[in-house]
Amino acid sequence: MVVSDSQDKMYYPPEDLRKDAHVPDSNSYLALYKKSLENPEAFWKEVAEEFFWKKPVTGPVQQYNFDVTKGSIYIKFMEGAKTNICYNVVDRHVREKNLGEKVAFYWEGNSPDHYMTITYSQLLGQVCRCANVLKQLGVKKGDRVSIYLPMIPELVYTMLACARIGAVHSIVFAGFSSESLCERIIDAQSSVLVTADGVYRGEKLINLKQIVDEALEKCKEKASSSINRCLVVKHHALKTKSGAASNKLQTPWDSECDVWWDEVMRDSPEECEPEWMDAEDPLFILYTSGSTGKPKGVLHTVAGYLLYTSLTFKYVFDYHHDDVYWCTADIGWITGHSYIAYGPLANGATNILFEGVPVHPHVGRFWEIIEKYKVTKFYTAPTAIRLLMKYGREPLQKYNLSSLRILGTVGEPINPEAWQWYHEVVGQGRCPVVDTFWQTETGGHVLTPLPAATPLKPGSATLPFFGVEPTILNEHGEELEGEAEGYLCFRRPWPGIMRTVYRNQERFENTYFKKFPGFYITGDGCRRDKDGYYWITGRIDDMLNVSGHLMSTAEVEAVLTEHPAVAEAAVVSRPHKVKGECLYCFVTLKDSREFTHTLVEELKKLVREKIGPIATPDFIQNAPALPKTRSGKIMRRILRQIARNEKDLGDLSTLADPKVVEVLFSQRFEAA
Ligand code: 6R9
């Protein structure tokens, strides 16, 4: 790889990659990009030709309104066409492409002793069986199904089964607490919940069914629970070698509601006609943190999501038939939905489904798996890279990583140090690193390099994908030309963008379209450099990004103030070597309450229980008072500076009581 001498180091695509790449150079990228903006109808129609349509599109390919001042926001692609996404990502390969025997998934369990292979034909059989089971449990087109499963094949079967019968899946990451699960079930009004008895995450055994039962109990307390049936997978890897179920796990059971997966799947037929859906019918809901604290149910629809995840996967990872692709995300997040399930399957790719964690049973697990399956395309998060960097080169040197051709990152800005390490140590200098910027809301990559076409700059997500028109706005909503920094927005939709917030169109419009009429606002700050490259500078709202997971400060504050000793709480982010950002919390106690170690532990536990382990605060500082404006607004900017030990606080004149700051500074935590 050639490195230019300019101030921004550029990394040029390796020659051998360009030979058979889909987009082999920057001119081809520019020509296609131009076409995608100038003639989106023709561009997306051509992409759609790859897929099966029960009824082709006859009207316009895209219709939208992005301007709140002109009426309600809507986005439609291929409306009126009929298709089924499950048919396209599974049946099509078996029936039309003769790929039935091709491996769809290598499943690799938490323990290296547990693994299995699933071909496209086997996938089709299991998905159909599961679809018939769901029907038998009363699920109909349009109904919601909540899924709370670890990274096991049944998770993929269930989501595709929903898509097959036209049910809307709502997957909840199986690390979320019962409280979070309950909130998401109530919002989605799901009629069926699919879960497992338990799972090992590293050394730790988690009793999922118990968490589910607590969640359902809470649902009943808060509203009448919508869940009629709970389908429970017996996680076979939990069985001991002798075949007996692990005695460590007690699975609570309610025979009126609960059904064992194995029992109903056994007799379920392997044939199931797909439900032919309108292009704009809902496909899934996925909850993402919102700045008011309550999660937003991001809604994606059938055809646009299929076209977009399929095309981004093909181009961004320069997918070829003999690739072995691995994305280390969990399907509970959007990255797993788009780039473990739908995108790769739409291309008929061979994919790895990994249940474990990077450091179990040893810190070389990722590298071991890459060697074992000869992975060619590898996609992970900066937080994982930073974690593995800590162990140095040695764990990698034990394994053969020469199969790797392209590396990808997602989830948060990648610091140049981690980028270099990923490129030099993991990719041995041979593999382009595609830094893909996108969101749950965007459905797929929106700013990203194409590995054979885009020269790279470490830390930049580079240039827009086809159909995407980014722009940078200042505080007054003026579009900035050339080199600039401000709010990252988009001027028009692409097929994969969300359609609404489930059952809350108003929140959809307020969150993404109100601030700057005519634009979708991402919530991220961004700089465009002299070469037109985009650099994400981080969230500009009250959101935090811990290990690639987005959460809102308001959500954590709300939990902290639930504790009887806490009067007020303010949460800010502080940079963290591995997690990117971590939670630094200031709590003001009620009179007569004492700030003790026990209290700190109680508060951490509360957050873990209410939100989940990913939200566990790293620091909780006693704040006799919080810095506030005269109108009573907490000045988070100042708290952020205290947490980061930035002494130059600038203008404090709006503070009601400047002395507060000194006190907080004197008690701050030093680096961990
Ligand atoms: C896919 C995903 C979205 C937020 C997004 C931004 C941050 C994601 C990034 C990135 C810089 C990248 N983000 N990818 N920041 N560079 N390559 O992560 O979706 O969980 O909804 O988070 O993550 O802040 O707005 P989601």
Side-chain angles (χ1 to χ4, degrees):
M1 205 173 259
V2 190
V3 179
S4 83
D5 293 331
S6 73
Q7 201 186 9
D8 287 327
K9 254 191 180 181
M10 286 266 215
Y11 289 74
Y12 291 94
E15 271 315 311
D16 63 330
L17 198 72
R18 302 173 89 141
K19 283 202 289 278
D20 59 354
H22 296 299
V23 185
D25 50 48
S26 64
N27 285 339
S28 335
Y29 161 73
L30 287 172
L32 267 174
Y33 181 66
K34 193 160 171 260
K35 178 175 172 188
S36 76
L37 293 193
E38 285 176 358
N39 195 349
E41 295 277 321
F43 183 90
W44 294 112
K45 232 178 197 158
E46 229 167 85
V47 175
E49 277 168 16
E50 175 69 23
F51 299 103
F52 176 80
W53 303 90
K54 189 76 177 172
K55 181 173 164 239
V57 65
T58 45
V61 169
Q62 64 166 39
Q63 293 161 276
Y64 68 93
N65 172 38
F66 245 36
D67 188 343
V68 273
T69 63
K70 296 199 176 122
S72 190
I73 302 293
Y74 65 87
I75 300 132
K76 293 172 180 172
F77 277 82
M78 320 277 295
E79 202 189 26
K82 288 218 179 290
T83 188
N84 181 287
I85 193 167
C86 176
Y87 181 91
N88 274 294
V89 307
V90 190
D91 305 43
R92 192 168 57 90
H93 304 306
V94 178
R95 296 190 205 288
E96 300 173 21
K97 304 233 155 169
N98 208 13
L99 292 178
E101 297 315 305
K102 188 174 179 188
V103 174
F105 286 105
Y106 291 112
W107 177 73
E108 174 82 14
N110 180 62
S111 151
D113 297 337
H114 299 141
Y115 50 87
M116 69 187 278
T117 297
I118 303 149
T119 64
Y120 273 91
S121 300
Q122 289 167 336
L123 181 61
L124 177 59
Q126 295 296 330
V127 169
C128 287
R129 282 185 163 178
C130 179
N132 287 320
V133 166
L134 292 176
K135 281 189 187 171
Q136 205 191 318
L137 296 178
V139 179
K140 292 184 296 297
K141 178 178 172 182
D143 289 353
R144 277 79 51 218
V145 173
S146 289
I147 305 176
Y148 187 69
L149 279 172
M151 286 284 283
I152 51 179
E154 289 82 354
L155 171 53
V156 180
Y157 305 155
T158 310
M159 69 194 293
L160 294 177
C162 288
R164 190 171 195 88
I165 63 172
V168 180
H169 58 74
S170 166
I171 301 181
V172 180
F173 171 59
F176 270 126
S177 64
S178 58
E179 186 88 18
S180 302
L181 175 59
C182 158
E183 194 175 13
R184 285 158 176 77
I185 290 172
I186 291 179
D187 190 77
Q189 299 174 332
S190 302
S191 57
V192 167
L193 175 62
V194 186
T195 189
D197 47 359
V199 64
Y200 271 103
R201 200 163 286 134
E203 301 282 322
K204 204 169 156 216
L205 180 60
I206 298 158
N207 191 332
L208 290 173
K209 181 62 169 54
Q210 196 177 325
I211 298 173
V212 158
D213 281 17
E214 283 164 18
L216 294 182
E217 212 35 60
K218 286 184 178 134
C219 286
K220 279 184 202 143
E221 281 164 25
K222 290 191 186 176
S224 63
S225 172
S226 53
I227 299 287
N228 303 318
R229 307 307 292 267
C230 181
L231 184 58
V232 188
V233 177
K234 199 170 277 169
H235 192 334
H236 291 280
L238 291 186
K239 287 184 178 171
T240 57
K241 287 223 170 78
S242 65
S246 165
N247 56 9
K248 287 188 201 141
L249 200 69
Q250 297 242 311
T251 306
W253 202 258
D254 168 359
S255 52
E256 298 231 317
C257 171
D258 300 336
V259 198
W260 281 115
W261 170 283
D262 279 356
E263 286 174 15
V264 280
M265 283 287 277
R266 202 178 303 135
D267 305 322
S268 184
E270 278 206 359
E271 303 272 310
C272 174
E273 172 72 10
E275 185 78 39
W276 299 106
M277 308 290 287
D278 189 276
E280 280 300 333
D281 276 336
L283 172 64
F284 68 83
I285 304 166
L286 182 60
Y287 288 86
T288 184
S289 299
S291 51
T292 62
K294 194 174 150 17
K296 299 184 287 261
V298 170
L299 185 89
H300 285 283
T301 54
V302 172
Y305 184 77
L306 168 66
L307 296 187
Y308 201 70
T309 52
S310 170
L311 195 74
T312 45
F313 176 78
K314 176 175 166 186
Y315 285 158
V316 173
F317 298 108
D318 192 38
Y319 170 71
H320 286 81
H321 185 66
D322 52 357
D323 272 326
V324 178
Y325 162 85
W326 181 22
C327 166
T328 66
D330 191 290
I331 290 183
W333 310 111
I334 191 68
T335 304
H337 279 62
S338 300
Y339 300 111
I340 297 177
Y342 292 107
L345 293 176
N347 285 274
T350 294
N351 202 331
I352 290 168
L353 190 64
F354 177 50
E355 184 190 35
V357 295
V359 292
H360 175 82
H362 56 80
V363 300
R365 187 76 195 276
F366 272 12
W367 324 125
E368 183 180 56
I369 295 174
I370 291 173
E371 177 184 276
K372 176 173 174 188
Y373 298 104
K374 300 194 172 56
V375 172
T376 56
K377 313 280 161 83
F378 179 63
Y379 193 28
T380 193
T383 183
I385 299 167
R386 289 192 297 263
L387 170 76
L388 295 169
M389 265 171 84
K390 285 204 310 199
Y391 304 103
R393 286 169 185 258
E394 202 222 349
L396 289 102
Q397 282 161 348
K398 294 189 197 143
Y399 301 99
N400 181 353
L401 305 184
S402 64
S403 56
L404 288 172
R405 308 252 296 161
I406 290 166
L407 303 173
T409 85
V410 57
E412 54 188 315
I414 181 163
N415 47 314
E417 196 193 353
W419 196 100
Q420 302 287 359
W421 191 83
Y422 198 28
H423 183 255
E424 301 312 323
V425 181
V426 181
Q428 298 158 345
R430 284 180 289 110
C431 310
V433 174
V434 288
D435 177 354
T436 61
F437 167 84
W438 58 296
Q439 308 176 298
T440 305
E441 294 88 337
T442 69
H445 308 140
V446 283
L447 299 178
T448 177
L450 301 185
T454 318
L456 306 171
K457 297 185 190 186
S460 168
T462 75
L463 300 169
F465 190 74
F466 305 130
V468 173
E469 198 182 358
T471 180
I472 294 179
L473 268 60
N474 66 14
E475 187 57 46
H476 310 293
E478 294 153 352
E479 283 190 78
L480 305 175
E481 303 289 324
E483 280 181 68
E485 186 164 345
Y487 294 87
L488 176 66
C489 296
F490 295 106
R491 306 184 62 146
R492 56 160 103 191
W494 54 93
I497 191 175
M498 71 186 288
R499 300 302 194 258
T500 190
V501 171
Y502 186 61
R503 295 199 300 135
N504 203 340
Q505 173 74 11
E506 193 185 344
R507 189 163 178 208
F508 173 57
E509 297 188 0
N510 288 343
T511 310
Y512 305 104
F513 294 95
K514 201 71 171 263
K515 189 171 172 80
F516 301 129
F519 301 92
Y520 166 89
I521 183 169
T522 57
D524 285 290
C526 185
R527 178 168 72 82
R528 187 172 43 220
D529 71 13
K530 60 181 193 324
D531 299 319
Y533 275 44
Y534 292 88
W535 301 74
I536 303 296
T537 53
R539 302 292 304 187
I540 34 187
D541 47 17
D542 287 335
M543 304 289 269
L544 250 108
N545 193 326
V546 179
S547 301
H549 302 313
L550 212 56
M551 59 192 78
S552 78
T553 53
E555 202 176 354
V556 181
E557 287 165 10
V559 173
L560 290 171
T561 46
E562 273 178 33
H563 192 284
V566 175
E568 194 169 33
V571 177
V572 297
S573 78
R574 166 158 149 172
H576 186 282
K577 269 214 173 77
V578 171
K579 302 190 227 179
E581 287 182 315
C582 69
L583 291 148
Y584 193 111
C585 312
F586 295 88
V587 293
T588 306
L589 300 186
K590 291 183 182 154
D591 278 346
S592 81
R593 293 294 193 142
E594 232 182 70
F595 191 82
T596 59
H597 179 69
T598 321
L599 175 68
V600 169
E601 289 311 308
E602 273 174 35
L603 290 172
K604 288 187 178 174
K605 188 161 162 260
L606 192 64
V607 177
R608 280 176 80 91
E609 281 172 357
K610 295 275 170 164
I611 305 177
I614 47 169
T616 309
D618 279 64
F619 303 96
I620 298 182
Q621 180 178 338
N622 184 22
L626 292 168
K628 289 187 182 170
T629 62
R630 281 165 225 277
S631 62
K633 282 204 178 69
I634 298 174
M635 293 190 72
R636 285 196 178 67
R637 167 180 74 82
I638 292 173
L639 292 174
R640 212 173 292 134
Q641 288 175 297
I642 295 171
R644 291 163 191 229
N645 203 16
E646 292 165 2
K647 292 263 162 51
D648 185 8
L649 291 181
D651 180 19
L652 296 183
S653 62
T654 50
L655 268 184
D657 179 7
K659 280 206 293 296
V660 170
V661 175
E662 255 166 65
V663 177
L664 292 181
F665 241 119
S666 68
Q667 296 177 1
R668 70 178 288 283
F669 288 95
E670 293 306 323

